[in-house]
Amino acid sequence: MKPTILIVDDEPLARAGLRRLVEAAGRCAVVGECADGRDALATIARARPDVVLLDIEMPELDAFDVLRRIDEGTGPCVVLVTAYEEHGLAAFDAGAVDYVLKPVDPGRLDRAIERALRRRTAPESAGSTRTLQVTLGGRSRFVPVDEILWVEAAGSYVRLHVPGDAILHRASLGRIEAELASEQFVRVHRSALVALRCIRTMEPAGHGDATLVLTSGDRGPVSRRYREALSDRLG
C-alpha cells in the first residue's frame, strides 16, 4: 500500500500542479486536496495522511497555525511549499520536515517527499535533526546534517554528498569542517570530510595511504596525514 499525501493550497492551479507531480512520481497516493487551513486540519484528522504538502499563505489559518495544531508524535510529516525562501528557517523551527520553493521543481519535490517518508518511519529522531543552510546563486536550502555522507572541496565551493544528490555550496571546506565539528565528521584528505557513521571499511592503499568504503558504496582516499587520527576515531 502506497504512503498517502494531502495537498493544501488556496490556489486551484497550484493544487493541480502538485497532484500531477506526485502522481507522476508514483511514490505516493493523493488522499485529498484542501484550500484552507481549517479544512486541512479536519482532513488530516479524518484521512490521517503520511505527508502533507502545505502552502504557507492561506486564508483563516496559515501553514504555521496548522503546524502548531498537528500532534508531533502521531501527525503527518509536513513539507511546506512556498514562493518565499525567507520562510525556510521558520519552517524547520515550526516542525516542518522540509520546504520546497515555487515554481516547484519535480526532483526537489520528490527528494522532500522522500525525506518526509524517511522521517515518518523513524519519528524518534525527528526532534534532533540539525540543518545546514546551503546558499548558491542567492537561494538558500536547508540540508539535514544527518543526511550528509561526505563533503568534498570544489574550488571556491564544496559539494555536500547526500543520498542521490550532490549539493553545491559556496563555502570553504575549512568553514564546513568547523560547522560540523560537533557532528562526528572527520577530515580524511586535504579536500574531503566524511561522516564517521557512514564509514564501512578502511582498506590499505600503499605508501601509508588508505581507501575508505562508505555505506553508500562510495570510495575515497585517506591520506597518510589523516590516517592515524581516523584510525583512532574508528577505534
Side-chain angles (χ1 to χ4, degrees), residues 162-225:
V162 299
D165 200 4
I167 303 165
L168 198 62
H169 177 36
R170 189 173 181 84
S172 68
L173 190 66
R175 174 183 153 192
I176 296 300
E177 183 176 21
E179 289 191 51
L180 299 179
S182 63
E183 303 288 344
Q184 297 296 298
F185 280 75
V186 60
R187 180 78 72 112
V188 297
H189 192 273
R190 62 182 176 83
S191 60
L193 302 170
V194 173
L196 285 171
R197 70 182 187 282
C198 297
I199 297 175
R200 179 178 293 160
T201 59
M202 183 167 63
E203 303 170 350
H207 305 289
D209 294 337
T211 298
L212 283 182
V213 181
L214 304 186
T215 53
S216 62
D218 292 333
R219 301 172 68 91
V222 180
S223 66
R224 283 180 294 172
R225 178 180 176 184

Side-chain angles (χ1 to χ4, degrees), residues 8 36-42 44 52 54-72 76 78 80 87 90-91 93-96:
V8 184
D36 62 71
R38 292 192 187 281
D39 189 23
L41 288 171
I44 288 168
V52 177
L54 184 62
D55 183 32
I56 287 185
E57 295 187 348
M58 296 180 296
E60 297 192 47
L61 297 178
D62 67 12
F64 298 108
D65 293 322
V66 173
L67 280 165
R68 281 192 289 270
R69 289 164 170 78
I70 292 176
D71 188 299
E72 290 188 11
V78 175
L80 294 188
H87 288 308
D93 287 342

Side-chain angles (χ1 to χ4, degrees), residues 121-171:
T121 60
E124 68 278 0
S125 64
S128 61
T129 299
R130 184 190 156 205
T131 60
L132 187 67
Q133 183 174 0
V134 173
T135 303
L136 183 66
R139 305 188 77 177
S140 294
R141 172 177 174 183
F142 293 83
V143 179
V145 169
D146 61 11
E147 293 188 7
I148 301 173
L149 308 173
W150 63 288
V151 185
E152 66 172 327
S156 300
Y157 299 82
V158 293
R159 287 191 183 89
L160 308 176
H161 290 265
V162 299
D165 200 4
I167 303 165
L168 198 62
H169 177 36
R170 189 173 181 84

